[in-house]
Amino acid sequence: MSSPATRPEDLMGLTKGEYDTILDILGREPNLTELGIFSVMWSEHCSYKSSKLWLKTLPTEGPQVIQGPGENAGVIDIGDGLAAIFKIESHNHPSFIEPYQGAATGVGGILRDVFTMGARPVANMNALRFGSPDHPKTRHLVDGVVAGIGGYGNCIGVPTVGGEVNFDPAYNGNILVNAMTVGIASTDKIFYSAAAGVGLPVVYVGSKTGRDGIHGATMASAEFDDDSDEKRPTVQVGDPFTEKLLLEACLELMATDAIVAIQDMGAAGLTSSSVEMASKGNVGITLSLDDVPQREENMTPYELMLSESQERMLMVLKPGREDEARAIFEKWELDLSVIGETNDSQRLVLMWKGEIDADIPIPPLVEAAPEYDRPWTATPPRAVREPSEVAEPTDISEALLTLIGSSDLCSRRWVWEQYDHMVMGDTVGRPGGDAAMVRVHGTKKALAISTDCTPRYVEGNPVEGGKQAVAEAWRNVPSVGAKPLAVTNNLNFGNPERDEIMAQLVGAVQGMGAACEALDAPVVSGNVSLYNETNGQAILPTPVIGCVGLIDDAASAVGNGFTAEGQTIIIVGQTAGWLGCSIYQRDLAGGSNGAPPPVDLVTERRNGDFVRTAILDGLVSACHDVSDGGLAVALAEMAIAGGIGAEIDATPDIPTHAWAFGEDQARYVVTCSDPDDFLHRAAAAGVPAEATGTTGGPALTLPGAKPISVANLRETHARWFPEYMASR
Amino acid sequence: MKARVHITLKNGVLDPQGKAIHHSLEGLGFDGVDDVRQGKFIEIELSGNDPDAARASVSEMCEKLLANTVIENYAVEIDD
Amino acid sequence: MSAAVIVFPGSNCDRDIAVALEAALGTAPLMVWHGDSALPGVDLIAVPGGFSYGDYLRSGAMAANSPIMREVVSHAGRGVPVLGICNGFQVLTECGLLPGVLMRNASLKFVCRDVDLRVERGNTAFTGGYKVGDVIRIPVAHHDGNYFTDPDTLKSIEDNDQVAFRYCEPDGTVSDAANPNGSLANIAGVLNGNGNVLGMMPHPERLIDPLLGGTGGTPMFTALAEAVAA
């Protein structure tokens, strides 16, 4: 095949310097197939070239970690010979262009990352960010993304147990769709991607290859402009039915010992899967592209290598085990094709119609991948806002109703009722809790899972915001009674070639690293999504954290709804009334400015460990972490969830609105039937805790405010989402 | 030979998808849309060359699988 | 005494129903692959929820034509209890064991939530653990659960007392507001004429454990265990 006609360095997103490196590696001009392979392997999406330097600083190890970043997903030990395998991944750009299919294939991709490693997926989570509700595209995007997530997860039969949805004008041109999957495997049956050994058959399974999604990886590494709608043909279409068959067939084959290595074909398809397997195994691979199952006619090697057709896997088998594998895949009505063999050349050689179409040495393709230390200048600090600088509401109760009826704090029921959150029969409780809980099948244990990030904090102070994202995701886990074990992260930012964006990335990673260290929650997997900009307008920095924890007996967990009348309400943690960068300030007091609340990681750890222990000791009847909207919103949510009111008799020594809506960190609201025991233990542990009211009655009464009936709270909380989605 | 099968909902069967499409068309400013009914269109490549046999065979496919005759009508076209 | 769960490509509540049956019967049910053509000596058949064949073409249409379904129909004819849940209900209507069809939800959206059901018929192998008029709470999770039939069929279903469950308010009132999917006459579950085949959209197998939010489904499995043991 001839060289590309146009200037190659412009053709596929490579820089002139990167192109020169290719010339050095090959000692000649690359042909189109080879250039395509370098382009996707060196794309931001596959090479992490802008972020790698900083990602390396994150803590990734601990006694609980079986496998950290670098494989398809992270693996942690959950005892009794079992492992939890999980990862979060973005599908932002495809979801903006075609929301249903973009979101659906995002779910399909992350599911494959998890079952590739030998785990049966047991839970899906997500973190979604949309533009302003007033933006003309937002409703359509919400509708499509939610339906797509549900469409895929519901069909394959993995429960979608929780997540987060938020709106901000900064996402008008770039929505975020981050999907997380958690699976469970035996610790002695975990599969990796290293194709160690020569003369081994390379086997393709799953759907046939078509032209869909070609250059999806490079699309995920470029800014949008107004022509992005024209990029529709590169969006893949998901087939959850085939993925269900692929899942069952893979798990059945994994029960044998026929597999040497396995890798899903996700971004950059056959290219990245074959290169990664060969690279990790220090071998070469020769592929016969004529043998790749093809869905369309006249496909070229370039298209076959770069296609992102979904529901495909590449495996390396032990020699002679092909027929055994084929029998299993045929039972599940799937294609299996031997398309190549490993050898000791350390080269990727592609054969096409009897001739060599591409020949690339693998070590430099992988190791010479660019890594940039992009310039950045630290984000200027913002002034701290005293409560007195933030306007008081005319009426605390009206302000609370406005907040819980707002787009960001209202009930997400409209969303999660479209997700089958109960299939597989192990979901404890319903979505809307602090952390979702999924029982480990056949045991009493449960995994607790949360996703979180507060982008306005990260914008205000990337380091504190990065800490807070970890702290809040982490805090959700002890608030049900579970012990956090590890996190996965999805770093969503704008164009890293801009100083101020790179500064957000660097600061957030620094903050996250410190928090993961202090909270003993190493990062075991993750994903980076950069260039989330349209016409120079970047998204808010959004480093989403997914946290996974464990509780030994799911029956000892607590929910976040009031459970009975006459319980004492206790606030755990210090309430200083931090209103800067709060939801109250943003929505009711003229804009999100001022410094975000600082995160004291030692306090965070101490308070969280204390609350978890108190729950496990049976002292707590309900628990809710305090986050967006502060104490007032937390109390309202507990009243709504339990259908029980409360009388709050605190006499705050700070302005009431700061007490009610301040967003100080490391706080929980708990209810107890024996408050004395709880308070004594808190005092002994040095944990601030204060009895602040009693549950009961039909209304919630905040200090100095008129009562609000629980019915009114519930109705206000429930109203916004369905009304918004039904309007046009 | 190619068979084209149109599957439509019977009159009187509620069609919420058609209703939603109708509603959306009005929202987009298309006036004068009285009603919308949606259905399925299926193309089948056939190896034989007898149109009558093909029609009979495709009709049987409709009865057995392609349509649910409790709620759906079907129409078969055969291209020679 | 043995039970069978029919598994189609795309079934995904097969394990859930097997867990519920094993808890009630004391023995694990036989998992029968759709391509099999024999159902040796079973006293109870469950057709599980899921997305057989991806719900492509019409929910349940392709599964209804699987080889094993001939055996299921023949067992049903001999009086063996057959329980179809969700996609299983769709399969049983598509293969003609039950009247009516399940169309796209009136909201056009997938809906997963707990619903209240009024028990309309108590004296069957499935519903013997409930009394007529009881209100039970179990979840639905479907995209195509909008029960529809022509007026004559509806009349005969009602006249023959074939409605097993209707969607209702917590106090038992049958109302539009309690109808999650637009089903005709709020029908959530239907029996065949002989009362030995039940199809229902809600999932009784999902609420058999207080830890998971309730036990509204438990009496159905207890009743089935008693019926097949008798």
Side-chain angles (χ1 to χ4, degrees):
Chain A
M1 186 171 284
S2 61
S3 294
T6 45
R7 287 189 308 151
E9 64 270 30
D10 286 349
L11 192 65
M12 298 180 197
L14 290 163
T15 66
K16 178 78 174 75
E18 289 166 358
Y19 188 76
D20 289 343
T21 310
I22 296 171
L23 296 181
D24 284 347
I25 290 171
L26 294 179
R28 58 177 167 82
E29 296 269 338
N31 65 26
L32 181 66
T33 309
E34 291 166 337
L35 187 61
I37 289 170
F38 276 102
S39 163
V40 294
M41 286 304 294
W42 291 4
S43 70
E44 192 68 57
H45 192 80
C46 293
S47 75
Y48 298 97
K49 57 191 168 191
S50 299
S51 57
K52 202 172 0 178
L53 187 67
W54 298 100
L55 296 178
K56 286 178 191 164
T57 66
L58 292 170
T60 59
E61 290 173 357
Q64 70 273 46
V65 178
I66 295 175
Q67 174 67 52
E71 281 286 338
N72 287 290
V75 185
I76 57 171
D77 195 332
I78 58 169
D80 300 330
L82 296 174
I85 300 187
F86 60 97
K87 186 182 176 186
I88 190 165
E89 191 161 77
S90 65
H91 227 211
N92 303 336
H93 297 64
S95 300
F96 183 77
I97 292 171
E98 168 48 56
Y100 184 96
Q101 293 298 345
T105 51
V107 173
I110 193 64
L111 281 161
R112 279 195 302 285
D113 275 332
V114 166
F115 73 76
T116 299
M117 298 200 67
R120 178 172 286 281
V122 297
N124 286 325
M125 295 279 288
N126 54 71
L128 312 178
R129 294 290 185 287
F130 296 100
S132 164
D134 301 331
H135 190 272
K137 277 191 173 169
T138 299
R139 194 176 287 104
H140 160 73
L141 291 168
V142 174
D143 200 54
V145 165
V146 170
I149 289 172
Y152 209 100
N154 299 346
C155 181
I156 197 167
V158 175
T160 302
V161 294
E164 49 165 9
V165 183
N166 289 101
F167 298 87
D168 191 286
Y171 305 100
N172 281 350
N174 297 80
I175 62 170
L176 301 183
V177 175
N178 294 179
M180 174 174 172
T181 294
V182 184
I184 292 175
S186 295
T187 49
D188 59 357
K189 275 282 181 190
I190 295 168
F191 290 80
Y192 298 98
S193 55
V198 299
L200 308 177
V202 178
V203 171
Y204 170 117
V205 295
S207 294
K208 292 179 165 58
T209 298
R211 290 192 172 88
D212 29 6
I214 289 176
H215 270 296
T218 48
M219 180 170 91
S221 308
E223 280 184 46
F224 273 9
D225 53 40
D226 290 331
D227 295 333
S228 296
D229 282 356
E230 299 298 316
K231 291 180 179 167
R232 194 181 295 264
T234 63
V235 171
Q236 320 88 309
V237 171
D239 179 0
F241 170 60
T242 297
E243 181 131 314
K244 168 72 172 166
L245 303 181
L246 193 57
L247 162 67
E248 299 300 338
C250 284
L251 291 180
E252 191 170 328
L253 183 59
M254 285 165 166
T256 73
D257 63 347
I259 299 176
V260 173
I262 178 164
Q263 172 90 20
D264 84 299
M265 288 190 238
L270 193 48
T271 294
S272 72
S273 54
S274 56
V275 169
E276 280 178 33
M277 290 172 94
S279 166
K280 288 191 176 134
N282 290 315
V283 296
I285 279 188
T286 299
L287 296 180
S288 166
L289 294 182
D290 306 271
D291 296 327
V292 172
Q294 294 161 42
R295 199 180 69 218
E296 297 180 60
E297 289 180 4
N298 301 319
M299 290 192 67
T300 65
Y302 173 85
E303 290 168 334
L304 289 168
M305 289 307 289
L306 269 62
S307 164
E308 293 190 358
S309 288
Q310 298 288 294
E311 292 89 26
R312 303 178 299 159
M313 295 277 210
L314 200 62
M315 299 188 296
V316 172
L317 298 180
K318 291 182 181 166
R321 304 297 288 271
E322 298 92 321
D323 288 344
E324 187 181 344
R326 182 172 284 114
I328 289 172
F329 278 80
E330 279 175 0
K331 174 190 155 192
W332 290 100
E333 305 178 5
L334 291 167
D335 285 336
L336 178 149
S337 178
V338 179
I339 63 166
E341 196 176 74
T342 62
N343 53 52
D344 61 5
S345 71
Q346 295 207 335
R347 301 181 78 83
L348 175 69
V349 176
L350 306 178
M351 303 300 296
W352 179 243
K353 298 190 189 305
E355 291 180 19
I356 294 176
D357 183 79
D359 183 355
I360 302 174
I362 290 169
L365 173 61
V366 175
E367 289 151 23
E371 182 176 326
Y372 297 124
D373 182 1
R374 297 210 187 270
W376 56 282
T377 38
T379 307
R382 290 184 184 175
V384 173
R385 288 272 175 278
E386 295 302 324
S388 58
E389 296 176 74
V390 179
E392 290 189 38
T394 48
D395 183 318
I396 291 276
S397 294
E398 288 303 321
L400 172 57
L401 286 169
T402 302
L403 290 179
I404 62 161
S406 70
S407 57
D408 271 354
L409 294 180
C410 70
S411 167
R412 270 61 185 130
R413 180 177 286 270
W414 183 91
V415 175
W416 56 256
E417 281 193 350
Q418 295 184 57
Y419 303 150
D420 189 338
H421 45 267
M422 300 176 77
V423 64
M424 297 184 84
D426 285 309
T427 306
V428 181
R430 300 289 183 271
D434 287 9
M437 269 195 295
V438 176
R439 189 172 53 186
V440 178
H441 194 66
T443 75
K444 287 158 64 182
K445 295 183 186 190
L447 298 176
I449 313 162
S450 66
T451 54
D452 237 308
C453 179
T454 313
R456 66 180 185 281
Y457 293 172
V458 189
E459 184 192 35
N461 182 330
V463 177
E464 290 302 311
K467 283 185 203 168
Q468 198 275 343
V470 175
E472 188 174 345
W474 183 91
R475 199 183 303 144
N476 287 320
V477 173
S479 71
V480 300
K483 181 176 168 50
L485 292 176
V487 303
T488 181
N489 62 10
N490 204 141
L491 308 181
N492 306 275
F493 291 89
N495 181 348
E497 295 165 46
R498 290 167 53 195
D499 272 19
E500 67 274 26
I501 300 293
M502 195 61 204
Q504 293 175 339
L505 172 65
V506 171
V509 171
Q510 288 171 335
M512 286 169 34
C516 290
E517 193 78 55
L519 300 175
D520 190 17
V523 179
V524 296
S525 57
N527 172 243
V528 179
S529 172
L530 302 177
Y531 299 94
N532 290 289
E533 298 199 10
T534 297
N535 299 331
Q537 187 65 46
I539 59 163
L540 292 178
T542 314
V544 173
I545 299 292
C547 186
V548 175
L550 183 69
I551 185 165
D552 286 334
D553 182 354
S556 56
V558 297
N560 63 8
F562 292 145
T563 54
E565 308 230 339
Q567 302 267 301
T568 302
I569 298 168
I570 296 171
I571 298 169
V572 176
Q574 201 75 50
T575 299
W578 193 285
L579 283 172
C581 227
S582 66
I583 284 258
Y584 170 81
Q585 186 199 29
R586 187 192 72 184
D587 290 359
L588 294 171
S592 181
N593 53 33
V599 181
D600 180 334
L601 294 166
V602 173
T603 305
E604 193 72 64
R605 174 82 184 265
R606 186 192 60 202
N607 294 3
D609 286 349
F610 175 76
V611 165
R612 175 172 55 85
T613 308
I615 291 170
L616 296 181
D617 287 347
L619 301 184
V620 175
S621 50
C623 180
H624 191 12
D625 77 306
V626 180
S627 58
D628 282 348
L631 283 173
V633 166
L635 289 163
E637 287 170 346
M638 296 180 85
I640 293 166
I644 296 171
E647 182 86 31
I648 306 303
D649 50 23
T651 47
D653 52 7
I654 53 177
T656 313
H657 72 309
W659 181 89
F661 303 117
E663 296 181 1
D664 309 280
Q665 298 296 297
R667 290 186 301 162
Y668 303 77
V669 177
V670 301
T671 61
C672 299
S673 38
D674 179 3
D676 293 345
D677 193 4
F678 186 94
L679 291 169
H680 282 136
R681 290 206 206 183
V687 171
E690 189 185 355
T692 193
T694 311
T695 62
L700 173 66
T701 310
L702 294 175
K706 65 184 186 205
I708 314 172
S709 74
V710 175
N712 186 9
L713 285 171
R714 174 181 286 139
E715 214 275 315
T716 304
H717 190 237
R719 190 187 308 133
W720 187 85
F721 228 113
E723 280 188 359
Y724 171 69
M725 293 308 298
S727 60
R728 59 182 67 240
Chain B
M1 260 187 323
K2 183 177 273 179
R4 294 197 168 86
V5 182
H6 295 263
I7 295 168
T8 51
L9 286 171
K10 289 181 173 173
N11 287 333
V13 175
L14 181 72
D15 179 9
Q17 294 178 79
K19 237 168 65 180
I21 296 165
H22 190 179
H23 196 54
S24 291
L25 290 174
E26 286 176 340
L28 290 168
F30 290 99
D31 295 331
V33 178
D34 287 340
D35 193 18
V36 177
R37 306 278 285 169
Q38 57 83 46
K40 290 192 191 80
F41 174 69
I42 300 172
E43 274 189 347
I44 301 172
E45 292 285 349
L46 297 161
S47 55
N49 52 14
D50 175 354
D52 291 338
R55 187 178 304 278
S57 161
V58 173
S59 296
E60 198 185 340
M61 293 177 199
C62 288
E63 292 284 338
K64 281 202 167 151
L65 179 68
L66 302 180
N68 182 334
T69 54
V70 175
I71 48 166
E72 290 170 331
N73 290 322
Y74 61 87
V76 177
E77 290 170 27
I78 303 289
D79 278 7
D80 300 288
Chain C
M1 167 183 76
S2 72
V5 175
I6 311 296
V7 185
F8 302 102
S11 293
N12 64 30
C13 302
D14 43 329
R15 188 183 80 178
D16 302 359
I17 185 75
V19 167
L21 289 171
E22 182 168 357
L25 298 171
T27 54
L30 196 63
M31 306 305 279
V32 180
W33 187 236
H34 72 113
D36 292 350
S37 50
L39 263 178
V42 299
D43 318 297
L44 168 64
I45 299 169
V47 188
F51 286 71
S52 59
Y53 294 94
D55 273 0
Y56 300 150
L57 189 62
R58 283 185 316 281
S59 302
M62 287 187 268
N65 286 286
S66 291
I68 197 65
M69 286 310 293
R70 283 191 290 273
E71 275 300 295
V72 173
V73 171
S74 126
H75 277 65
R78 294 201 297 274
V80 171
V82 178
L83 171 62
I85 298 169
C86 199
N87 189 230
F89 185 11
Q90 295 158 347
V91 173
L92 295 181
T93 60
E94 281 284 346
C95 75
L97 278 176
L98 290 172
V101 292
L102 283 313
M103 298 180 58
R104 182 55 42 103
N105 293 346
S107 67
L108 303 182
K109 302 210 176 298
F110 189 96
V111 58
C112 178
R113 67 163 176 254
D114 290 355
V115 296
D116 293 301
L117 301 179
R118 194 174 75 191
V119 178
E120 303 285 290
R121 170 113 177 243
N123 56 340
T124 71
F126 314 96
T127 58
Y130 305 114
K131 295 191 303 293
V132 172
D134 279 359
V135 175
I136 61 169
R137 172 162 275 225
I138 54 177
V140 290
H142 59 248
H143 210 164
D144 298 318
N146 182 351
Y147 187 77
F148 179 83
T149 188
D150 61 74
D152 291 346
T153 310
L154 177 64
K155 183 170 186 313
S156 88
I157 292 169
E158 298 278 14
D159 290 351
N160 293 331
D161 204 10
Q162 284 173 246
V163 177
F165 303 104
R166 278 184 230 273
Y167 301 108
C168 69
E169 311 271 350
D171 67 0
T173 310
V174 172
S175 68
D176 285 350
N179 189 336
N181 52 30
S183 288
L184 204 60
N186 281 40
I187 291 172
V190 159
L191 294 150
N192 67 344
N194 289 334
N196 70 312
V197 179
L198 170 66
M200 61 191 298
M201 289 313 298
H203 287 268
E205 81 281 16
R206 289 193 181 184
L207 280 188
I208 54 168
D209 184 343
L211 181 66
L212 305 187
T215 54
T218 307
M220 179 173 294
F221 298 101
T222 312
L224 277 170
E226 283 168 11
V228 299

